Amino acid sequence: MTTTADDTTTGAYADELPVRLRWAEHAPEVYKAMIRLDTAAKRGLDPKLYELVKIRASQLNHCAFCLDMHTKDALAAGESVERIVQLGAWEESRHFYTEKELAAIELTEAVTVLTDGFVPDEVYEKAAALFEEAELAQLISAIAVINTWNRFGVTCRMTPGHYRPGQHG
């Protein structure tokens, strides 16, 4: 997103923070392995569910680059703006999601925020009751992969706002 100080309708925007490190350029084999891992992790998962999981983990990890990317990809996959907006308050907005999506979102939070050192049994059991074992394994893989991408994005301060849907997929 390029803006100028001449923007008189809403005032001047803050400058973009500079990227700290273009890690993929310096670790191309790791980047390629991450792309392969991401591709493998999403197999068999509903594309909208997959993007909701990626958005929720990215919200929790404060990864602006991944929020930009996965929000745009979710919209391109047919997800509604309303469900994306409500995702940050999903517990109060449960009626926007299916029981299966709620279980995936709750599992995403438990895997992403390991403050208690484990995923609670009730969270895992709820997901296990709604997903076949193979699909659950894919879901857990997708959650682990987005958390890894988030760590690259946040640490290297990857800049949001320039992603086009499907650009990296």
Side-chain angles (χ1 to χ4, degrees):
M1 171 189 273
T2 305
T3 56
T4 66
D6 296 339
D7 184 355
T8 55
T9 53
T10 58
Y13 290 97
D15 292 333
E16 284 185 359
L17 294 173
V19 174
R20 288 180 175 155
L21 176 69
R22 297 190 186 284
W23 74 271
E25 293 174 15
H26 299 287
E29 293 306 313
V30 175
Y31 178 76
K32 290 175 194 172
M34 284 294 299
I35 293 291
R36 288 190 306 272
L37 185 60
D38 198 29
T39 299
K42 69 181 174 182
R43 280 195 193 113
L45 292 177
D46 174 83
K48 289 182 186 179
L49 175 74
Y50 175 74
E51 294 302 337
L52 289 174
V53 163
K54 288 189 156 215
I55 293 166
R56 187 62 190 134
S58 299
Q59 288 172 334
L60 294 167
N61 288 322
H62 306 281
C63 186
F65 180 84
C66 292
L67 279 169
D68 178 54
M69 174 188 292
H70 296 296
T71 298
K72 288 174 180 174
D73 284 345
L75 291 168
E79 187 54 82
S80 73
V81 170
E82 189 171 46
R83 284 171 30 106
I84 292 169
V85 169
Q86 291 301 319
L87 193 54
W90 67 269
E91 290 176 296
E92 293 81 23
S93 303
R94 298 177 65 83
H95 60 285
F96 286 93
Y97 308 99
T98 67
E99 287 303 315
K100 193 171 183 179
E101 289 168 337
L102 289 167
I105 294 164
E106 191 171 8
L107 184 63
T108 299
E109 288 195 4
V111 171
T112 301
V113 184
L114 292 171
T115 53
D116 293 329
F118 58 90
V119 173
D121 289 339
E122 61 273 8
V123 171
Y124 182 85
E125 288 164 6
K126 190 182 303 178
L130 294 166
F131 289 86
E132 296 292 326
E133 284 187 344
E135 189 179 22
L136 182 59
Q138 291 298 125
L139 176 61
I140 293 167
S141 299
I143 296 167
V145 172
I146 188 55
N147 273 281
T148 302
W149 281 121
N150 289 164
R151 271 105 182 117
F152 285 120
V154 170
T155 302
C156 298
R157 195 185 286 141
M158 295 171 68
T159 307
H162 305 284
Y163 178 79
R164 292 177 319 277
Q167 178 180 338
H168 297 299

